[in-house]
Amino acid sequence: MFKGQPKGLYALALANTGERFGYYTMLAIFLLFLQAKFGFSASAAGQFYAIFLAAVYFMPVIGGWIADRIGFGKCVVTGVCVMFAGYLFLAIPTDAFANRGFALALMTGALFLIAVGTGLFKGNLQVMTGNLYDDPKYGAKRDSGFSLFYMAINLGSMFAPSAATALTNRHLAGAGLIYKADIPTLAHQCINGTLADTSTLQALQEMMPGETARLMDLSQFSQYYINNLSTAYNLGFAVACISLIFSISIYFIFRPWFRHTDVNAKQAAAANENAVELTPAQTKERIVALAFVFAVVIFFWMAFHQNGSSLTYFARDYTQTTVSGPLRLGFNIWPLLLIAVSIYTLFGSFQSETSRAKAICAAATIALWGGAYAMYANMEETLSILPQQFQQFNPFFVVALTPISMAIFGALANKGKEPSAPKKIGLGMFVAGIGYLIMLLASKGQPAPSELVNVGGVSPDPVVPTYLIGTYLVLTFAELLLSPMGISFVSKVAPPKYKGLMMGLWFASTAIGNYLSSIPSMLWNNVPLWANWTILMALCIIAGIVMFSMLKKLEAATAE
């Protein structure tokens, strides 16, 4: 699967992996940070979060427009520097009580810098990746190359929540504190004088070592706890700074491998370097085709990004809170990693060109399976699981299934039957619809969310975790058909003069979809469960039908 790819792909993919690891580490604790440090309500924190995400995904439009004029490499390097400054400001501990206005201003400025830096970095790095495949030698490898690139992104995001949690817990333990989800809210209520039952905070205060706790009243202790907790989150944000140093180091060390891709249309024309010229009619056809694809994928991202909202609510309120048997593997990141790596070594044992390489890959596969089994054998018979743990299945499935999808499409390509990128995108929409069909089946006979208050807040008959895991698996199949293929399609079809801008618009469509993903959450307490999943399934299917209805025009407009 790695054979025949330009070596610049690996450098650019690793540079992106480092940046994404830092970004998702920050994102994993950002909402918790807002509520803990500033006492934001869930609604206020959610709006702050949504606005930040929208800015992050809209900024590549501006970043791409700038890169089309001054160059992709300059924007990538500038973007890393601006992001570094943003994460650094976000990592600075501040007192949320003595200097609340300053703390809010510093955080807001940091988020603005992160959004601007991401806009300069993200889309333009992917344009440079696409430019690797403008060389006819690698042209046929474009889709598979972007599949590997996309896998690297998810490798970074796979470990981010675990890293953020480990840092937070370690800092709190060092301060003699423990973390419980309800403590920050209670602490803020105590400070504001609205806490009626102080027993929980008093019990926590008594756990403090030495004389520290006994020298404070509850209000002082609450401020002490909040400031220590927010400092723990600051350490998580600092991880992003470290990951950016890794990214920019990879970028500069291996720059000779991809230096030739750092050429926009204006620079290529000035250097007389095989600049591709399209007629005005061809340019218009391609932009219209891309705009149509952008409009369709909005509905995919709206359906896909339920992992942080309605699917998490379902995990919390309707899914069993314990797991036993083989499913325990899915809730421990380390055996998941070994299993994911073993997929690649297993393929290597068949695809390697020498007997020695095949034997090494086979031995590595057996060792990885043995390691995963040893971890499984040492697990408790029954594990308690948290709703957010289901979110690690998507990046795991992306990493694990990428070689399988590449093998399938590679075999089809060898037979001349590989679907075009627009066709893959249309198929991805239908597959996403199947994911919500699973949720329909899981919700059969379950009370509506508005009725849960009458039965203790959770379903009296929770479903097995397999339903959610199956949904994430199917949605990952859809994602692999749509997202890396969409990026590949944009890099191939975008008119040379507008490559940066078109890649930016791809991310803008993602931003719109992300924001619209809040609609099922708003409907959550107002409609039956089946209605939410039916809406999402119907949107995916309708979008797929529309995509296929335009397929011939899209393929004709974007033909070589």
Side-chain angles (χ1 to χ4, degrees):
M1 76 189 74
F2 298 100
K3 185 179 178 182
Q5 296 287 351
K7 58 184 180 181
L9 169 68
Y10 307 115
L12 292 170
L14 278 175
N16 201 52
T17 299
E19 183 273 332
R20 289 289 88 184
F21 172 75
Y23 173 75
Y24 282 111
T25 299
M26 182 273 285
L27 216 58
I29 55 177
F30 181 54
L31 272 177
L32 298 173
F33 171 75
L34 290 174
Q35 292 185 280
K37 189 176 184 75
F38 300 109
F40 285 0
S41 67
S43 176
Q47 282 298 310
F48 213 104
Y49 179 81
I51 292 169
F52 171 64
L53 280 187
V56 163
Y57 281 98
F58 268 112
M59 281 297 178
V61 177
I62 299 173
W65 180 83
I66 294 172
D68 285 331
R69 284 152 179 79
I70 69 170
F72 303 113
K74 289 180 181 178
C75 284
V76 166
V77 174
T78 303
V80 170
C81 295
V82 174
M83 279 190 290
F84 185 89
Y87 286 123
L88 186 62
F89 290 156
L90 205 57
I92 297 173
T94 54
D95 191 320
F97 304 100
N99 298 292
R100 182 179 175 85
F102 173 75
L104 275 169
L106 184 67
M107 180 192 69
T108 304
L111 295 176
F112 175 75
L113 289 175
I114 292 168
V116 171
T118 304
L120 291 167
F121 174 88
K122 188 170 175 60
N124 293 318
L125 190 81
Q126 295 187 0
V127 171
M128 292 172 69
T129 304
N131 287 347
L132 291 167
Y133 298 92
D134 289 344
D135 185 340
K137 177 181 177 182
Y138 302 113
K141 294 283 187 176
R142 185 184 295 267
D143 283 0
S144 59
F146 271 101
S147 291
L148 290 171
F149 185 88
Y150 197 73
M151 177 273 292
I153 293 175
N154 282 272
L155 190 61
S157 64
M158 185 173 165
F159 284 94
S162 298
T165 301
L167 280 167
T168 301
N169 290 340
R170 182 166 183 170
H171 179 81
L172 288 179
L177 299 170
I178 61 171
Y179 176 76
K180 288 180 64 179
D182 58 336
I183 296 299
T185 300
L186 295 177
H188 277 287
Q189 289 174 351
C190 180
I191 294 165
N192 296 331
T194 59
L195 182 64
D197 182 4
T198 62
S199 58
T200 304
L201 276 179
Q202 288 172 333
L204 181 65
Q205 190 177 19
E206 291 170 3
M207 295 180 188
M208 290 283 292
E211 297 292 325
T212 306
R214 287 188 286 275
L215 296 175
M216 302 178 185
D217 60 31
L218 274 181
S219 179
Q220 291 172 327
F221 174 74
S222 296
Q223 292 191 32
Y224 178 82
Y225 183 90
I226 291 298
N227 281 328
N228 270 280
L229 179 57
S230 61
T231 299
Y233 291 143
N234 291 134
L235 292 175
F237 301 144
V239 169
C241 293
I242 298 170
S243 68
L244 283 176
I245 294 173
F246 170 82
S247 288
I248 201 65
S249 299
I250 292 291
Y251 182 88
F252 280 117
I253 291 170
F254 297 102
R255 185 170 169 77
W257 291 5
F258 56 84
R259 189 188 302 274
H260 61 287
T261 67
D262 185 13
V263 180
N264 59 22
K266 182 179 179 180
Q267 292 166 332
N272 197 26
E273 293 181 5
N274 301 321
V276 178
E277 291 291 339
L278 298 176
T279 66
Q282 288 174 319
T283 298
K284 181 180 178 181
E285 284 182 343
R286 291 193 176 200
I287 291 176
V288 169
L290 286 169
F292 180 80
V293 171
F294 297 156
V296 168
V297 300
I298 285 172
F299 297 101
F300 171 77
W301 293 119
M302 176 184 173
F304 179 79
H305 279 298
Q306 295 306 307
N307 53 349
S309 53
S310 63
L311 290 178
T312 294
Y313 297 155
F314 189 88
R316 182 190 65 192
D317 300 337
Y318 293 94
T319 304
Q320 294 174 1
T321 57
T322 59
V323 64
S324 58
L327 281 181
R328 289 176 294 167
L329 277 172
F331 295 91
N332 187 317
I333 193 66
W334 297 111
L336 281 184
L337 174 64
L338 297 185
I339 293 169
V341 174
S342 74
I343 304 286
Y344 291 82
T345 57
L346 180 62
F347 271 82
S349 66
F350 291 100
Q351 296 177 345
S352 297
E353 295 181 347
T354 65
S355 298
R356 183 184 178 195
K358 289 181 178 180
I360 291 173
C361 287
T365 303
I366 294 171
L368 290 164
W369 287 348
Y373 179 77
M375 291 180 184
Y376 169 72
N378 287 316
M379 289 180 182
E380 297 178 6
E381 288 297 320
T382 301
L383 292 179
S384 296
I385 55 177
L386 298 172
Q388 61 266 33
Q389 287 182 275
F390 285 94
Q391 294 188 42
Q392 69 190 27
F393 283 101
N394 172 243
F396 163 71
F397 285 141
V398 170
V399 174
L401 294 176
T402 291
I404 298 173
S405 69
M406 290 176 63
I408 292 171
F409 289 122
L412 291 173
N414 291 334
K415 297 179 180 179
K417 297 181 179 179
E418 183 180 12
S420 65
K423 186 175 289 186
K424 290 176 184 176
I425 292 171
L427 289 170
M429 298 303 303
F430 287 125
V431 173
I434 294 173
Y436 286 102
L437 177 60
I438 295 174
M439 292 307 300
L440 263 177
L441 297 175
S443 301
K444 185 178 180 181
Q446 293 289 344
S450 59
E451 298 171 2
L452 289 181
V453 68
N454 300 322
V455 289
V458 296
S459 170
D461 185 24
V463 302
V464 294
T466 313
Y467 281 106
L468 269 175
I469 296 171
T471 297
Y472 278 116
L473 176 62
V474 173
L475 289 176
T476 302
F477 281 129
E479 183 185 10
L480 289 173
L481 280 165
L482 192 144
S483 191
M485 296 305 104
I487 298 169
S488 173
F489 182 68
V490 174
S491 75
K492 178 181 179 181
V493 171
K497 292 190 295 184
Y498 304 114
K499 278 190 175 183
L501 178 61
M502 291 298 107
M503 191 64 76
L505 288 171
W506 166 265
F507 288 111
S509 68
T510 305
I512 297 170
N514 287 349
Y515 198 80
L516 292 177
S517 68
S518 63
I519 292 176
S521 294
M522 291 189 292
L523 295 174
W524 187 253
N525 287 314
N526 300 306
V527 299
L529 270 179
W530 64 265
N532 239 330
W533 312 133
T534 300
I535 290 169
L536 291 167
M537 183 172 67
L539 286 173
C540 290
I541 292 173
I542 292 170
I545 292 172
V546 172
M547 191 74 185
F548 270 91
S549 71
M550 297 290 292
L551 195 59
K552 290 184 178 179
K553 289 185 178 180
L554 288 172
E555 291 175 339
T558 59
E560 294 287 352

